[in-house]
Amino acid sequence: MLTRNCLSLLLWVLFDGGLLTPLHPQLRQTLETESRGNVVTAPERKTPAVRVKRGWVWNQFFVLEEYMGSEPQYVGKLHSDLDKGVGSVKYTLSGDGAGTVFTIDETTGDIHAIKSLDREEKPFYTLRAQAVDIETRKPLEPESEFIIKVQDINDNEPKFLDGPYVASVPEMSPVGAYVLQVKATDADDPTYGNSARVVYSILQGQPYFSIDPKTGVIRTALPNMDREVKEQYQVLIQAKDMGGQLGGLAGTTTVNITLTDVNDNPPRFPKSIFHLKVPESSLVGAAIGRIRAVDPDSGENAEIEYTIVPGDGGNLFDISTDENTQEGVIKLKKPLDFETKKAYTFKVEASNVHLDHRFHSVGPFKDTATVKINVLDVDEPPVFSKHFYTMEVYEDTPVGTIIGAVTAQDLDVGNSAVRYFIDWKNDVDSFFTIDGTEGTIATNELLDRENTAQYNFSIVASKISNPLLTSKVNVIINVLDVNEFAPEIAVPYESYVCENAKPGQVIQIVGAADKDLSPAGQRFSFRLSPEISTKPNFTVHDYRNNSAGIVARRSGYSRRQQELYFLPIVIEDSSYPIQSSTNTMTIRVCRCDSDGTILSCNVEAIFLPVGLSTGALIAILLCIIILLVIVVLYVALRRQKKKDTLMTSKEDIRDNVIHYDDEGGGEEDTQAFDIGALRNPKVMEDNKIRRDIKPDTLCLPRSRPPADDNTNIRDFINQRLRENDGDPSAPPYDSLATYAYEGNGSVAESLSSIDSFATEADQDYDYLSDWGPRFKVLADMFGEEESYNPDKVT
């Protein structure tokens, strides 16, 4: 027992110590169980656990990757103590890669790898082994699980997955300034050997940059690298495994490093003096030239600000910076005049806008240059002595009177003569003329201030040496007023006075109007005309403020005695020559109440009763009109009733049917026959002339025999037919009239059985055969009915 336990302990130490160490926890558990032995249980009897000899032998747990031999690679051997070497045991293999990657010899238990393996694809395989009795096919021992680990070899080089790299560092940076960190990865096993141990180095880019071999951090290696000297650097980095030793695999990448700009350079003018030539005709605000200072920096570090140093030319010129080209644009602030000054000289300073305090010790970041401008002479148009001219002239001034003059001269060196003329586009009516040489303006027509008080036109001056060069000036001529119109009353010429007005009462205040342009302080005076100065009914009171009041001189004005009064008033102005006029005021007498409110001013109102207002008069007129309308309607209704006849009754349901084969004479043809005569034969129709035709000759009334009371309807109709056939005034067409009246006194009496006391047998219809052929059918019908008697038995 002691010997068996010592052997089990030795096997456990060997496995756990790493000589044949399983690579999977489950495998280790299996080995530990097997090292303690299998428990064998007898049937129907419990036995204690007994240690037995180990049944598995593990020869190999590793297989090399990328094996390139011609024979399958030997992995290990399976063996059971129950195998006596007589071929009674069969070994089987299952799990990852069994049969495809790994094979087993069923008799010997040798395991081989039949294909090349890659650890980077699959680092280990989990398999299960079984020993089976070849005859009974029963397992001899329980199935065990083990792991075959693929042993790594250095078959992968380091790779930069993020390359190529782009980095930047400011120029003039000190040595050791951080630039970038690169990193390479190796697919080999980092836990086995040095296959995945990477070392970094620089193949290209020295001596400007350096790299840390372990971390891959790139730093600057030279001080004061200048962007203006060299801006772009391409650095080649290498990563090598096996710790950089000989035989290791390597990978490379490129790092593009750019030096960013700092403001380490001041602007500099390429020359100290700039010469510009500017025509004197240049417009104010126009760009007349450009200068430029050079700054090797870029971006905002190269932005330049230009200023003019105070001195000569500072008041006439200005300079600004073109943001796109960083040039200094010189502009004109005031107009140039070659005849006044021919050249200007001033200084311009260029400086950086954004400064870097680290480089203040280098010196001032600005530069100065001189700008010299030469003014070029240009042939210019004449120049008027004033910007505009204002002149005055009295109206009605004689034609040809000189009003004033304009003056223009050529300021160029040649000093050409000038010609003047009026711009007729503005002075259409040609009221003025101008002397082409002297520039004097005179009237060409009589002027009237009341028609046009001001004239505005243009005078054009041109050089004789170059007529295309012209200049223009405005001329305003004000027409002065002459007192030629007399003043007039400014209010309407009609007023009123109440019948109960009192002496001294002001009934109207009047003012004056004058068509002339009255100067300041113009005064108007008012007075009565001399012809009515004796015993006037009214008088005029001048208030001395260009107004006057009309005052009643007495009381007791009456419309019945005098309705209108005419008051002549003399109005006089104070201008020279003095003008006056007589204006007649019409004063109407009106009836007023006690407060002076006008009640009526009409003449016809005098004869109306006292107290009858306008509203009452309107009401009376409306009543009269309504009464007249009622009378007219009543008369019209009476005339309408007289026209109605006996035959127009709407309650009679029988019709008067008239049929014509011709268009006939319209509705008047219905008077050809009178249905009333048939309704009542005793009523004799008066003889009337037919209205539906125009008789050729005058027809006398025909005498008709009187109709008896028992006249037959047939005889009556035949009689009327004969009368119409013999009537020369009858129309040349037939007229068929159908009447609903049966007639009076018929031999047959009424054909209806209503109210009849006689039986059918008592009636005799033989007389129907005497009526003629028209009643033959009726006679046959009633004759047959009489002869036929159903009650009789033959």
Side-chain angles (χ1 to χ4, degrees):
M1 181 65 70
L2 180 60
T3 304
R4 186 181 295 115
N5 291 338
C6 291
L7 180 60
S8 299
L9 179 62
L10 177 62
L11 291 174
W12 181 84
V13 171
L14 290 175
F15 282 101
D16 192 59
L19 298 178
L20 298 174
T21 303
L23 300 180
H24 194 278
Q26 189 176 0
L27 177 59
R28 176 175 293 182
Q29 183 180 359
T30 303
L31 294 176
E32 290 177 356
T33 303
E34 292 175 352
S35 67
R36 293 191 296 268
N38 296 326
V39 178
V40 181
T41 304
E44 298 180 359
R45 187 177 64 163
K46 292 184 179 181
T47 59
V50 180
R51 290 281 183 177
V52 297
K53 189 176 180 180
R54 170 178 166 76
W56 292 104
V57 178
W58 302 96
N59 294 329
Q60 184 69 38
F61 293 94
F62 298 93
V63 60
L64 290 176
E65 69 169 334
E66 305 293 345
Y67 175 75
M68 304 300 294
S70 59
E71 297 295 332
Q73 184 180 0
Y74 180 75
V75 178
K77 184 181 181 65
L78 298 179
H79 181 73
S80 175
D81 291 343
L82 300 178
D83 186 2
K84 303 302 181 178
V86 295
S88 62
V89 179
K90 177 182 178 181
Y91 298 95
T92 62
L93 188 67
S94 63
D96 292 343
T100 58
V101 178
F102 303 100
T103 61
I104 188 171
D105 190 325
E106 296 180 351
T107 303
T108 62
D110 293 331
I111 301 174
H112 292 81
I114 62 176
K115 62 184 300 186
S116 179
L117 303 179
D118 188 357
R119 189 199 66 85
E120 285 70 38
E121 292 183 2
K122 191 174 181 63
F124 62 89
Y125 295 84
T126 302
L127 299 171
R128 292 182 300 277
Q130 181 79 55
V132 182
D133 188 293
I134 196 170
E135 295 179 358
T136 62
R137 301 294 181 179
K138 293 182 179 181
L140 298 177
E141 294 183 6
E143 187 181 54
S144 297
E145 187 178 71
F146 63 96
I147 292 176
I148 299 177
K149 182 179 179 181
V150 181
Q151 188 174 359
D152 182 53
I153 64 173
N154 189 19
D155 60 341
N156 292 282
E157 74 277 2
K159 294 182 179 179
F160 293 93
L161 301 180
D162 297 330
Y165 296 88
V166 177
S168 63
V169 62
E171 64 173 333
M172 309 304 290
S173 296
V175 176
Y178 176 84
V179 179
L180 181 69
Q181 183 179 14
V182 296
K183 185 177 181 180
T185 58
D186 196 322
D188 293 327
D189 189 359
T191 63
Y192 179 76
N194 294 326
S195 298
R197 182 185 172 191
V198 178
V199 176
Y200 300 95
S201 61
I202 293 181
L203 300 180
Q204 177 183 335
Q206 296 176 338
Y208 304 105
F209 302 95
S210 64
I211 189 170
D212 190 309
K214 294 182 179 180
T215 62
V217 175
I218 302 174
R219 300 181 184 274
T220 58
L222 287 179
N224 300 326
M225 287 190 293
D226 193 356
R227 185 196 66 86
E228 288 72 34
V229 176
K230 187 176 181 180
E231 184 178 6
Q232 300 287 340
Y233 294 87
Q234 190 176 66
V235 181
L236 184 63
I237 304 297
Q238 181 190 62
K240 190 175 184 181
D241 58 11
M242 300 299 291
Q245 298 177 4
L246 185 63
L249 302 178
T252 60
T253 187
T254 302
V255 180
N256 296 312
I257 302 175
T258 303
L259 295 182
T260 59
D261 184 63
V262 296
N263 192 9
D264 58 339
N265 296 283
R268 292 288 182 263
F269 284 107
K271 54 185 179 179
S272 59
I273 300 177
F274 291 88
H275 293 276
L276 299 176
K277 294 182 179 181
V278 182
E280 64 173 337
S281 60
S282 300
L283 300 177
V284 175
I288 60 175
R290 289 172 176 258
I291 62 174
R292 183 178 181 181
V294 179
D295 191 335
D297 295 325
S298 64
E300 66 176 14
N301 296 321
E303 293 181 2
I304 302 174
E305 183 180 10
Y306 298 90
T307 56
I308 295 178
V309 178
D312 186 19
N315 296 328
L316 274 77
F317 305 96
D318 192 9
I319 190 169
S320 60
T321 303
D322 188 334
E323 296 181 356
N324 297 324
T325 62
Q326 295 299 314
E327 293 179 322
V329 181
I330 300 175
K331 297 181 180 180
L332 193 62
K333 292 173 62 177
K334 296 181 180 180
L336 300 176
D337 188 6
F338 175 80
E339 288 72 24
T340 303
K341 193 171 183 177
K342 299 179 176 58
Y344 297 89
T345 302
F346 54 90
K347 291 185 177 182
V348 175
E349 183 179 84
S351 60
N352 280 135
V353 178
H354 305 281
L355 300 178
D356 194 333
H357 64 278
R358 295 179 298 172
F359 305 101
H360 284 176
S361 59
V362 178
F365 279 71
K366 60 183 178 180
D367 195 14
T368 305
T370 301
V371 178
K372 187 174 182 179
I373 296 178
N374 294 321
V375 181
L376 301 178
D377 186 26
V378 177
D379 195 7
E380 298 175 309
V383 179
F384 284 95
S385 60
K386 296 181 181 180
H387 297 293
F388 65 92
Y389 293 86
T390 301
M391 303 176 185
E392 294 180 347
V393 60
Y394 282 99
E395 62 178 334
D396 297 331
T397 298
V399 177
T401 302
I402 295 177
I403 303 172
V406 296
T407 303
Q409 60 179 348
D410 182 15
L411 300 180
D412 294 331
V413 179
N415 194 13
S416 173
V418 179
R419 298 285 296 176
Y420 304 93
F421 57 91
I422 296 177
D423 187 3
W424 295 111
K425 294 180 181 178
N426 296 331
D427 189 17
V428 180
D429 297 331
S430 303
F431 287 99
F432 305 95
T433 59
I434 188 171
D435 188 286
T437 304
E438 301 296 333
T440 56
I441 300 174
T443 59
N444 195 35
E445 295 182 11
L446 290 178
L447 305 179
D448 186 6
R449 190 205 66 81
E450 287 71 29
N451 186 18
T452 304
Q454 188 181 79
Y455 294 88
N456 191 342
F457 55 93
S458 299
I459 299 296
V460 179
S462 65
K463 296 172 63 172
I464 294 179
S465 60
N466 189 357
L468 298 178
L469 294 176
T470 61
S471 58
K472 187 180 294 185
V473 70
N474 286 336
V475 177
I476 298 175
I477 297 179
N478 295 318
V479 181
L480 302 180
D481 183 50
V482 175
N483 194 21
E484 56 183 340
F485 292 97
E488 298 177 352
I489 294 178
V491 298
Y493 284 73
E494 186 173 350
S495 183
Y496 73 93
V497 63
C498 293
E499 289 181 323
N500 55 359
K502 298 179 180 179
Q505 180 179 346
V506 179
I507 64 173
Q508 181 72 47
I509 296 178
V510 296
D514 196 339
K515 294 181 180 180
D516 294 317
L517 181 61
S518 301
Q522 174 87 354
R523 298 297 298 273
F524 299 100
S525 60
F526 302 84
R527 68 176 184 274
L528 284 179
S529 179
E531 62 266 18
I532 63 166
S533 59
T534 59
K535 295 182 180 181
N537 292 305
F538 303 92
T539 185
V540 176
H541 180 68
D542 192 348
Y543 294 128
R544 306 293 181 179
N545 61 354
N546 293 341
S547 65
I550 301 175
V551 183
R553 291 287 303 274
R554 65 182 180 85
S555 61
Y557 296 96
S558 176
R559 287 181 294 168
R560 296 186 180 184
Q561 295 179 359
Q562 186 173 350
E563 181 186 5
L564 300 176
Y565 291 89
F566 300 98
L567 183 66
I569 302 174
V570 178
I571 305 177
E572 188 177 89
D573 60 19
S574 60
S575 299
Y576 181 82
I578 295 175
Q579 300 287 345
S580 64
S581 64
T582 301
N583 302 266
T584 302
M585 285 285 297
T586 300
I587 301 174
R588 185 181 298 275
V589 181
C590 299
R591 185 172 61 86
C592 306
D593 58 11
S594 59
D595 296 333
T597 303
I598 297 177
L599 297 178
S600 177
C601 291
N602 298 328
V603 179
E604 57 273 12
I606 301 174
F607 304 99
L608 292 176
V610 178
L612 192 59
S613 63
T614 304
L617 291 175
I618 295 174
I620 293 173
L621 290 176
L622 289 176
C623 292
I624 293 174
I625 293 172
I626 292 172
L627 290 175
L628 289 176
V629 171
I630 293 174
V631 172
V632 171
L633 292 176
Y634 178 76
V635 172
L637 290 174
R638 291 297 298 265
R639 289 183 177 179
Q640 185 67 27
K641 289 181 179 181
K642 290 182 180 180
K643 293 181 179 180
D644 294 339
T645 58
L646 185 61
M647 59 180 296
T648 60
S649 174
K650 296 182 180 179
E651 297 179 356
D652 193 356
I653 60 174
R654 292 171 295 180
D655 296 332
N656 183 12
V657 180
I658 307 298
H659 174 73
Y660 301 96
D661 294 332
D662 195 358
E663 291 184 358
E667 294 179 358
E668 293 186 352
D669 285 348
T670 56
Q671 295 186 6
F673 300 99
D674 187 3
I675 192 65
L678 293 179
R679 291 195 183 107
N680 189 0
K682 296 181 179 181
V683 179
M684 300 302 294
E685 180 183 359
D686 296 337
N687 291 325
K688 296 181 180 179
I689 300 176
R690 296 283 297 272
R691 293 187 298 171
D692 55 344
I693 60 172
K694 182 177 180 181
D696 294 335
T697 58
L698 180 63
C699 299
L700 296 178
R702 300 185 304 270
S703 60
R704 298 173 181 172
D708 297 334
D709 292 341
N710 295 326
T711 302
N712 188 280
I713 185 65
R714 177 180 178 185
D715 298 336
F716 176 79
I717 292 175
N718 291 332
Q719 179 183 353
R720 288 289 187 267
L721 182 60
R722 286 192 300 271
E723 291 179 359
N724 282 277
D725 289 341
D727 188 357
S729 63
Y733 45 77
D734 296 335
S735 177
L736 177 62
T738 303
Y739 302 95
Y741 180 65
E742 294 182 357
N744 189 15
S746 174
V747 176
E749 298 293 338
S750 175
L751 298 179
S752 175
S753 62
I754 300 176
D755 294 337
S756 177
F757 296 99
T759 61
E760 293 181 358
D762 298 334
Q763 295 181 7
D764 185 9
Y765 298 102
D766 294 337
Y767 61 91
L768 293 175
S769 57
D770 299 333
W771 285 8
R774 294 185 179 181
F775 295 91
K776 183 178 183 299
V777 176
L778 186 61
D780 294 339
M781 285 174 47
F782 283 92
E784 292 177 358
E785 291 179 359
E786 183 179 5
S787 61
Y788 175 72
N789 189 357
D791 295 334
K792 293 182 179 181
V793 178
T794 55

